[in-house]
Amino acid sequence: MTDIGGAAATAEVLAGDPHRGNPGAEHLEAAEHAGVCANCETALEGPYCHACGQRAHLHSRLRDLFHEAIEGIAHLDGRIWRTLPVLAINPGRLTREWREGRRVRYLQPLHLFLFAVFLFFTFQSLTGQHLVMLPGSTVMRDQPTLAAGLEEARREAAADGLQLSVDQSDTGRRLGSMIDRRLQNAEYYSYKIETLIYKLSFLLAPISMAILALLMIFRRGYSFYDHGVVSLYGVGFGVLTATAYSLANWSLGFVGWELSGMAAAGVMLGLAVHAIVHLKGAYGLSWPGAVVRGLLLSILTLAGFGLFLLGVVVLGLFA
């Protein structure tokens, strides 16, 4: 271990030190000047500490906070720009290299998935687009409207509880009546369902992983970790594609155009082709095997995501 105190005393006498009077910044500069890690005081032998892994040079200025914030959210230190082209063009290679240990150059699968979900919902929020619009809802969702909707939802819940205790027969009629009352407050429930979709979106990855594990059940030599890597990269790419589609549709709206159903079908077909290429490269499948599994994966994933949305809608309406 090296004594930082002596190095700090030496650093303080440096003329024109911009951090004079700032103990934290002085400690960082003293540690770097002495060639030791500011975290564990181990002698440095490179840009990173070999004992704890911390960088040798640490930021201490206000402008560096913005860089650290961006890097912390999505690890945008160059890896994402090396990951996205490979993920789009040769996803099987990306998965193989990650599995074989060549990972430093690429964004982690989970980070890519979380970044894609964050980007998608942030874009939807900033542009005023909505994933769910129940019959009778409008695109305007301001705080007074949502507050009034919340109060109305509480009254509906109380009424539903009273009705349930009084009338135990004719379940279908009661359920229809409950749905009708909620559709009268469609603005609030649309907002509630969208919020639940965002909060529960992490379930998309395990749903895809379970489907993939089922399709690869007879493929030896691959673990659930391998399926998780493929699923996270695959679903992340799908979410990024959906964000790009929404961006294109939103941009065309300024000139009075919108993407047609054929464009949406083309995107879905492209994602299916991407899944086929991904599976072939990641698992070393033949083309026929990759095509069959890729199509099944696309169909079952759409069905799984559809059931997920249905479950969230039911949860949002009645929970």
Side-chain angles (χ1 to χ4, degrees), residues 290-306:
V291 169
V292 171
R293 286 182 173 89
L295 292 178
L296 286 175
L297 176 64
S298 301
I299 294 172
L300 293 176
T301 299
L302 282 176
F305 289 179

Side-chain angles (χ1 to χ4, degrees), residues 171-190:
T171 304
R173 182 173 55 81
R174 263 191 306 111
L175 183 60
S177 176
M178 292 167 62
I179 294 176
D180 288 340
R181 286 200 303 273
R182 279 154 176 74
L183 290 181
Q184 293 173 7
N185 190 15
E187 192 73 23
Y188 167 75
Y189 283 105
S190 297

Side-chain angles (χ1 to χ4, degrees), residues 70-84:
I70 295 175
E71 184 175 306
I73 291 174
H75 287 229
L76 296 177
D77 54 0
R79 280 180 288 179
I80 192 169
W81 309 118
R82 290 191 292 270
T83 303
L84 290 181

Side-chain angles (χ1 to χ4, degrees), residues 17-51:
D17 184 358
H19 295 308
R20 288 295 297 276
N22 184 336
E26 289 177 358
H27 176 80
L28 296 181
E29 288 193 351
E32 187 172 359
H33 180 74
V36 297
C37 173
N39 179 55
C40 65
E41 302 184 14
T42 301
L44 294 170
E45 299 178 2
Y48 291 88
C49 175
H50 65 274

Side-chain angles (χ1 to χ4, degrees), residues 33-307:
H33 180 74
V36 297
C37 173
N39 179 55
C40 65
E41 302 184 14
T42 301
L44 294 170
E45 299 178 2
Y48 291 88
C49 175
H50 65 274
C52 68
Q54 181 168 277
R55 291 174 184 252
H57 174 72
L58 299 174
H59 298 148
S60 59
R61 302 178 187 275
L62 177 62
R63 65 173 180 265
D64 297 324
L65 283 177
F66 299 100
H67 172 77
E68 291 176 354
I70 295 175
E71 184 175 306
I73 291 174
H75 287 229
L76 296 177
D77 54 0
R79 280 180 288 179
I80 192 169
W81 309 118
R82 290 191 292 270
T83 303
L84 290 181
V86 182
L87 177 60
I89 299 172
N90 195 351
R93 171 191 160 196
L94 174 63
T95 300
R96 287 196 312 272
E97 294 209 337
W98 181 269
R99 218 169 36 221
E100 292 168 1
R102 293 185 286 273
R103 303 180 178 183
V104 173
R105 71 193 78 175
Y106 299 121
L107 194 64
Q108 296 182 25
L110 181 59
H111 288 170
L112 177 74
F113 171 75
L114 295 176
F115 171 69
V117 171
F118 168 79
L119 187 65
F120 177 79
F121 284 101
T122 300
F123 174 77
Q124 296 289 321
S125 177
L126 291 177
T127 58
Q129 299 185 76
H130 298 288
L131 293 174
V132 176
M133 289 187 64
L134 295 175
S137 64
T138 64
V139 295
M140 187 64 179
R141 296 181 185 173
D142 51 21
Q143 290 302 319
T145 300
L146 296 176
L150 176 58
E151 184 61 30
E152 178 64 23
R154 288 171 177 166
R155 289 195 295 269
E156 291 167 1
D160 291 340
L162 178 62
Q163 184 179 4
L164 184 62
S165 62
V166 173
D167 183 8
Q168 296 293 335
S169 63
D170 198 1
T171 304
R173 182 173 55 81
R174 263 191 306 111
L175 183 60
S177 176
M178 292 167 62
I179 294 176
D180 288 340
R181 286 200 303 273
R182 279 154 176 74
L183 290 181
Q184 293 173 7
N185 190 15
E187 192 73 23
Y188 167 75
Y189 283 105
S190 297
Y191 170 78
K192 183 181 177 182
I193 292 169
E194 279 192 343
T195 303
L196 282 175
I197 291 175
Y198 176 69
K199 291 180 178 179
L200 299 177
S201 58
F202 69 92
L203 293 175
L204 299 178
I207 289 173
S208 177
M209 186 179 72
I211 294 171
L212 184 60
L214 180 63
L215 293 176
M216 296 294 171
I217 192 170
F218 298 113
R219 193 73 180 176
R220 303 298 181 185
Y222 297 96
S223 65
F224 280 101
Y225 177 85
D226 299 320
H227 303 324
V229 171
V230 175
S231 298
L232 288 170
Y233 275 140
V235 175
F237 180 79
V239 175
L240 288 175
T241 302
T243 305
Y245 180 87
S246 297
L247 175 61
N249 206 26
W250 176 74
S251 301
L252 290 174
F254 288 102
V255 295
W257 297 347
E258 64 178 9
L259 294 175
S260 65
M262 291 295 294
V267 170
M268 298 300 295
L269 179 61
L271 289 176
V273 172
H274 185 271
I276 292 170
V277 174
H278 195 174
L279 294 183
K280 183 182 186 305
Y283 293 100
L285 300 172
S286 63
W287 275 114
V291 169
V292 171
R293 286 182 173 89
L295 292 178
L296 286 175
L297 176 64
S298 301
I299 294 172
L300 293 176
T301 299
L302 282 176
F305 289 179
L307 291 175

